Amino acid sequence: MTGQPDPPPPGALDAEPVAAVIVLAAGEGTRMRSARSKLLHELGGHSMLSYAVTAATMLRPEHVVVVVGHRRDQVEAHLAEVASHVTTVVQEEQRGTGHAVQVALAALPALTGAVVVTYGDVPLLTGDTLAELVAAHRAEAAAVTVLTAQVGDPTGYGRVVRDRSGHVQAIVEHRDADPSQLTISEINSGIYVFEASALADGLAGLRPDNSQGELYLTDVLAAARSAGQTVTAYPIEDVWQVEGVNDRIQLSRLNAELNRRVLERWMRAGVTVVDPATTWVHASVDLAEDVTLLPGTSLEGATSVAAGATIGPDTSLVDVEVGQNAVVIRTHGSLSVLGPDTSVGPYAYLRPGTRLGAGGKIGTFVETKNARIGAGAKAPHLSYVGDAEIADGANIGAGVVFANYDGVHKAVSTVGAYSFVGSNSVLTAPVHIADGAYVAAGSTITSDVAAGELAVGRGQQRNIRGWVLRKRAGTKTARAAAAAAENDGGPA
Ligand code: UD1
Ligand code: CA
């Protein structure tokens, strides 16, 4: 391609800040078919709009202005939450991209220097790319620099019309293009850097003399060119970065691409991802070398996984810290901390406040909540461990329930070091089992157990001789009992 500026110097983000970034976000987004603003739909754990605002903010602009319109209450509330430094400007009626920028400028003090215009629905665009665009613009001393891309199917996009020497002449919308312009495959991304004065002059001259009767921002380029100013294009190879989201199909495509990029980064950093197609990792997650992610794993929020740990298959962790060499199988967890060499699952449910010490185990069909489980302690099977403090080396038998709720209050129970809670026991909170104590299987524990004691909290077993033959005469069970008695030579 001709007219491509030199690549920007490294560290373009350290360059002089820009005057303003204007993020266009007033459109309706009808094709999402959603009660929610299109811009609030998420990929990789963040709204589309928050990506745009994050990229914009990386240019350290004096002003970040988001032009809002449709569903602006939702958009404004969201921005107040995730990006309180941005200003919003209302475009009551969407009269075109040029009109949107007019509305934004009217709300700002007079600007000098570079003004960047971008869209709220182009989530893969990075701050680095915007910085490169600004650097290219400055290197060319241009009045306008437009980010462009070569695409296989340019249908619907504005085409970049260049003259014989390769200089950008104009951008022509698909609907307004003639047959020869329609064959141009270099498209306008809709992302630009303008010199503030050229932008103001160009906007002042816009006319809605096009097929849509709108004020086209793109006409500012032709105006600058006619005024003898430099208009350049900065083509980007990575077309994903300029792809917008109009419907949920595009949203899922971009989400998958974003995820693919995150996974590739981790694979290069020494993480094994067995099945990238079913493994979802948000950008906020931190992974160490020799972590293995098995199929169906989803890691979100402030989740971190230390070296050598294996997660999955079919595991979702949000804000979970996983220690070295831990193994977490088929588990759903949030706000929990798993120590090194721990083992969790299959089929564990870790609710907030779970902390498992080094070498400990939370096993199959075990639910935990607000539970500190010490080093080497184990709850291997079929348990509910809620509001519990379990010391090192304790063993929680199969089916133990920490009954932590009396219908009004919750209370904490404790189990001391190396104590043993027999299977199918219920610990009715608050109870305290001291270090080195035993609870017999099937006990209902309602009072404390001291060190060295065995607590038996159940009815005495009675065996009623001859009951089956008397009460179940004629059944297969009774016949089996009679046969067994005959073999033993004793009464049934
Ligand atoms: C625009 C460009 C086109 C480019 C394409 C890239 C113009 C005239 N055309 O076309 O050259 O290839 O983007 O996607 O600029 N918006 C407002 N207020 C408005 C109109 C639009 O805020 O009055 C916002 C929309 O919410 C959207 C963005 O601007 O985020 C682009 O608007 P859209 O209508 O999608 O522009 P296109 O016709 O696709
Ligand atoms: Ca569009």
Side-chain angles (χ1 to χ4, degrees):
M1 185 173 308
T2 50
Q4 177 164 8
D6 292 328
L13 280 171
D14 303 329
E16 202 189 311
V18 300
V21 181
I22 298 169
V23 180
L24 304 191
E28 194 168 1
T30 34
R31 280 178 280 165
M32 292 301 281
R33 295 186 170 276
S34 177
R36 220 155 129 220
S37 160
K38 171 170 93 171
L39 301 157
L40 270 48
H41 282 257
E42 290 189 358
L43 59 168
H46 299 281
S47 69
M48 251 186 258
L49 184 56
S50 67
Y51 287 95
V53 169
T54 300
T57 304
M58 283 174 74
L59 297 173
R60 296 180 294 124
E62 285 164 46
H63 309 275
V64 178
V65 184
V66 179
V67 179
V68 298
H70 284 277
R71 298 209 163 91
R72 71 167 186 259
D73 295 352
Q74 291 179 19
V75 177
E76 284 171 346
H78 176 65
L79 284 171
E81 203 178 298
V82 302
S84 52
H85 63 287
V86 310
T87 314
T88 56
V89 173
V90 179
Q91 186 192 20
E92 292 287 355
E93 226 186 306
Q94 281 71 57
R95 295 172 45 208
T97 49
H99 179 247
V101 175
Q102 285 175 346
V103 168
L105 287 188
L108 290 173
L111 301 174
T112 52
V115 177
V116 173
V117 175
T118 180
Y119 291 163
D121 58 2
V122 185
L124 297 198
L125 179 73
T126 65
D128 287 306
T129 295
L130 284 180
E132 288 169 20
L133 180 70
V134 172
H137 174 82
R138 287 177 172 152
E140 297 281 307
V144 189
T145 304
V146 53
L147 186 65
T148 69
Q150 292 282 352
V151 298
D153 179 12
T155 306
Y157 285 102
R159 307 299 208 280
V160 179
V161 180
R162 290 169 180 267
D163 64 20
R164 272 202 209 94
S165 52
H167 293 114
V168 177
Q169 259 184 318
I171 287 168
V172 178
E173 291 307 291
H174 183 100
R175 301 176 196 231
D176 304 309
D178 65 34
S180 89
Q181 290 167 335
L182 285 175
T183 66
I184 298 172
S185 58
E186 185 182 15
I187 58 104
N188 169 25
S189 68
I191 295 147
Y192 324 77
V193 191
F194 296 93
E195 280 313 297
S197 54
L199 180 60
D201 291 349
L203 289 175
L206 292 185
R207 298 284 171 268
D209 52 1
N210 50 59
S211 62
Q212 298 188 84
E214 290 185 350
L215 297 178
Y216 283 175
L217 181 60
T218 45
D219 288 347
V220 172
L221 279 76
R225 174 72 198 258
S226 306
Q229 295 174 313
T230 306
V231 176
T232 60
Y234 184 72
I236 185 171
E237 297 275 317
D238 182 9
V239 175
W240 288 102
Q241 285 203 41
V242 298
E243 194 165 313
V245 173
N246 295 307
D247 60 27
R248 299 188 200 229
I249 297 166
Q250 285 170 317
L251 180 64
S252 80
R253 266 167 50 79
L254 289 196
N255 192 19
E257 177 60 17
L258 178 67
N259 186 58
R260 198 185 64 74
R261 290 174 182 217
V262 171
L263 293 180
E264 284 200 354
R265 178 160 63 81
W266 287 121
M267 289 189 270
R268 286 199 193 90
V271 172
T272 294
V273 181
V274 172
D275 183 15
T278 63
T279 303
W280 297 84
V281 176
H282 286 178
S284 50
V285 168
D286 193 31
L287 305 175
E289 262 177 32
D290 291 318
V291 162
T292 299
L293 304 181
L294 298 175
T297 292
S298 159
L299 305 178
E300 300 182 11
T303 293
S304 65
V305 184
T310 300
I311 314 289
D314 300 329
T315 293
S316 300
L317 302 179
V318 181
D319 304 325
V320 175
E321 190 181 318
V322 181
Q324 276 196 14
N325 299 318
V327 176
V328 182
I329 306 170
R330 291 186 206 280
T331 291
H332 190 89
S334 62
L335 286 165
S336 297
V337 179
L338 307 173
D341 303 306
T342 50
S343 161
V344 174
Y347 307 104
Y349 180 24
L350 311 174
R351 292 167 54 200
T354 298
R355 303 178 80 89
L356 179 61
K361 181 180 177 80
I362 294 172
T364 310
F365 300 112
V366 174
E367 174 179 343
T368 58
K369 187 218 77 174
N370 189 27
R372 287 168 163 276
I373 304 176
K378 294 180 165 58
H381 332 273
L382 301 162
S383 288
Y384 174 63
V385 182
D387 297 315
E389 302 228 1
I390 299 171
D392 294 355
N395 189 92
I396 308 301
V400 169
V401 171
F402 284 69
N404 59 332
Y405 185 49
D406 63 8
V408 182
H409 301 106
K410 296 212 168 137
V412 174
S413 290
T414 60
V415 176
Y418 298 95
S419 289
F420 186 100
V421 180
S423 293
N424 205 36
S425 291
V426 177
L427 307 184
T428 307
V431 288
H432 304 291
I433 295 164
D435 292 351
Y438 261 69
V439 170
S443 291
T444 297
I445 299 298
T446 53
S447 55
D448 294 355
V449 181
E453 288 182 342
L454 165 68
V456 186
R458 54 166 137 91
Q460 187 77 35
Q461 180 174 328
R462 288 193 302 148
N463 295 1
I464 302 166
R465 192 166 277 240
W467 186 92
V468 175
L469 289 185
R470 286 200 309 278
K471 300 289 193 185
R472 293 292 181 269
T475 64
K476 286 181 179 170
T477 309
R479 281 198 289 280
E486 209 158 285
N487 290 340
D488 288 358

